Amino acid sequence: MDAPGQLRDRFGRLHDNLRISVTDRCNIRCFYCMPEEVEFVPRPEILTFEEIEHFVRLAVRCGIRKLRITGGEPLLRRDLPVLVRKLSAIEGITDLGLTTNGILLREQAAALYEAGLRRINIHLDTLDAERFRHITRRDHLDRVLEGIELCRCLGFRPIKINAVAVKGLTEPDIVPLARFGREHDLEIRFIEFMPLDGQGLWLRDRVLFARDILRTLSREIAPLVPVSDGDPRAPAAEYRYADGRGVVGFIASVSQPFCDRCNRIRLTADGKLRYCLFALEETDIKKLLRGGAADEEILEAIGSTVRAKWEGHQVNTARFVAPPRPMYAIGG
Ligand code: SF4
């Protein structure tokens, strides 16, 4: 077992960040994340709120301090504010965030805020209705924009916009999204397209690299200066516009991997613990939870998962094998 309250892997990386997927279901079909037809995990196989809370309380004893609720689309999980209230009440948790596609914020943002959620990431790749339809295979851009505005009014902070950048598709969206962020005090984070679609659609020449996006924004909007006081272990490299109006982030998993400072582990909706988004192995926590395992056994399972963690993803090597789980079944 690691030093008490510390989850350190073989490469010395300290893990204090847990991503919790509460469902694999989604109400849109982004082509780089899931196919149109999907067989979702049967509901009885999804962890209950009580099981998630029990696991998080143990994970806190190992050193987890930050939580992010993800999906699929987490707002599809009934009574989500109940879980938010449970998790934000756990002693030791210093940060609780959520990533959503924003479509159900109109109905749920106020209850999530009231339950204690303050930090929210909203996924939006384009402000163009036609391209939104093309990417998501649904017609909900208006709802997302309405949801963003509602979150601003309710006082969620920070609000970050996650935009997946795909070469040959979303170039026209880069500058409009960046301007939208500046005008509405939102941090836009451009995310490089990753091989997690589960359908073999990913190609390196479909990746719009962060450096190219940065160059475009510097040319079209204002020069960008690296933010020096950001969290060095956060996935996004942040830049401030030289004119002081806003910050933009880049999650360059393909072109500038940040695995050397990774502090994240992930719990899937069906109770598997993963040490990496691209991991080819996972630990069955649900089996332990439902098998009546003692807390010590679960603590050991968390520790051994982190000790088994590899140095980083292999996307840029000939050894790369796409994980058997696509993005929607892992959670961002
Ligand atoms: S690819 Fe894996 S190891 Fe690298 S930063 Fe992401 S989760 Fe961490």
Side-chain angles (χ1 to χ4, degrees):
M1 182 66 174
D2 300 291
Q6 285 218 334
L7 272 178
R8 202 177 282 282
D9 65 26
R10 296 169 289 157
F11 305 94
R13 296 169 294 192
L14 200 56
H15 292 71
D16 62 357
N17 193 313
L18 171 66
R19 309 273 169 110
I20 305 166
S21 169
V22 294
T23 181
D24 60 344
R25 292 165 194 261
C26 192
N27 45 4
I28 54 177
R29 295 285 182 276
C30 302
F31 73 86
Y32 48 71
C33 178
M34 63 195 315
E36 178 63 46
E37 299 305 324
V38 185
E39 206 174 309
F40 293 118
V41 173
R43 288 192 198 288
E45 295 307 315
I46 298 287
L47 292 185
T48 65
F49 288 171
E50 291 67 30
E51 288 170 330
I52 293 172
E53 184 188 5
H54 181 192
F55 178 78
V56 171
R57 286 187 183 282
L58 294 173
V60 166
R61 284 170 56 184
C62 297
I64 292 293
R65 294 289 172 267
K66 301 175 182 176
L67 303 176
R68 175 161 293 279
I69 298 172
T70 67
E73 170 47 42
L75 273 61
L76 283 173
R77 182 81 189 250
R78 201 173 303 142
D79 300 329
L80 190 63
V82 172
L83 179 66
V84 167
R85 203 179 293 283
K86 281 177 184 290
L87 297 180
S88 39
I90 295 177
E91 203 182 322
I93 293 298
T94 58
D95 187 62
L96 174 63
L98 178 140
T99 302
T100 171
N101 62 29
I103 291 163
L104 296 174
L105 283 171
R106 181 200 291 177
E107 293 81 3
Q108 298 189 34
L112 290 166
Y113 190 88
E114 207 267 326
L117 188 70
R118 293 294 178 270
R119 174 189 283 276
I120 197 162
N121 289 21
I122 302 167
H123 169 214
L124 180 64
D125 303 332
T126 176
L127 297 170
D128 176 88
E130 186 46 45
R131 237 183 335 280
F132 185 95
R133 243 190 316 275
H134 175 78
I135 293 170
T136 68
R137 294 175 273 199
R138 300 292 185 274
D139 204 356
H140 295 310
L141 177 59
D142 293 348
R143 273 183 152 265
V144 179
L145 295 174
E146 193 188 327
I148 292 171
E149 189 50 30
L150 179 57
C151 287
R152 277 169 31 84
C153 297
L154 285 166
F156 282 91
R157 290 296 181 279
I159 302 173
K160 299 184 178 180
I161 305 298
N162 288 354
V164 175
V166 180
K167 203 170 190 172
L169 181 61
T170 64
E171 282 93 337
D173 301 300
I174 300 301
V175 172
L177 276 170
R179 291 198 196 289
F180 178 75
R182 279 159 60 94
E183 285 149 22
H184 296 87
D185 185 26
L186 304 163
E187 178 181 333
I188 308 293
R189 294 132 50 94
F190 294 102
I191 304 174
E192 290 182 347
F193 177 20
M194 292 181 277
L196 288 164
D197 56 90
Q199 306 150 76
L201 294 176
W202 186 84
L203 294 168
R204 186 170 296 282
D205 60 17
R206 297 196 73 187
V207 179
L208 188 47
F209 292 128
R211 62 177 174 272
D212 299 327
I213 301 171
L214 196 149
R215 208 175 292 130
T216 301
L217 296 180
S218 301
R219 188 183 61 241
E220 303 288 333
I221 299 184
L224 285 162
V225 186
V227 169
S228 53
D229 56 356
D231 175 358
R233 299 182 308 157
E238 293 182 321
Y239 289 75
R240 199 181 300 287
Y241 292 100
D243 63 5
R245 283 188 55 215
V247 170
V248 61
F250 300 94
I251 300 181
S253 311
V254 177
S255 64
Q256 296 153 49
F258 36 84
C259 304
D260 60 336
R261 52 191 193 277
C262 182
N263 63 339
R264 294 168 294 283
I265 53 176
R266 290 174 165 83
L267 182 68
T268 66
D270 58 344
K272 306 296 189 311
L273 190 62
R274 300 172 59 81
Y275 55 60
C276 172
L277 201 48
F278 293 93
L280 301 174
E281 56 185 350
E282 46 195 31
T283 306
D284 193 341
I285 296 295
K286 182 177 62 190
K287 195 166 147 214
L288 294 171
L289 288 167
R290 294 186 180 178
D295 286 353
E296 286 317 312
E297 234 180 304
I298 299 171
L299 290 168
E300 177 47 32
I302 300 171
S304 62
T305 303
V306 171
R307 288 194 296 275
K309 182 163 180 163
W310 57 15
E311 195 162 11
H313 71 60
Q314 323 265 306
V315 172
N316 299 318
T317 74
R319 296 186 304 282
F320 178 65
V321 177
R325 261 180 203 269
M327 181 62 127
Y328 72 88
I330 302 171

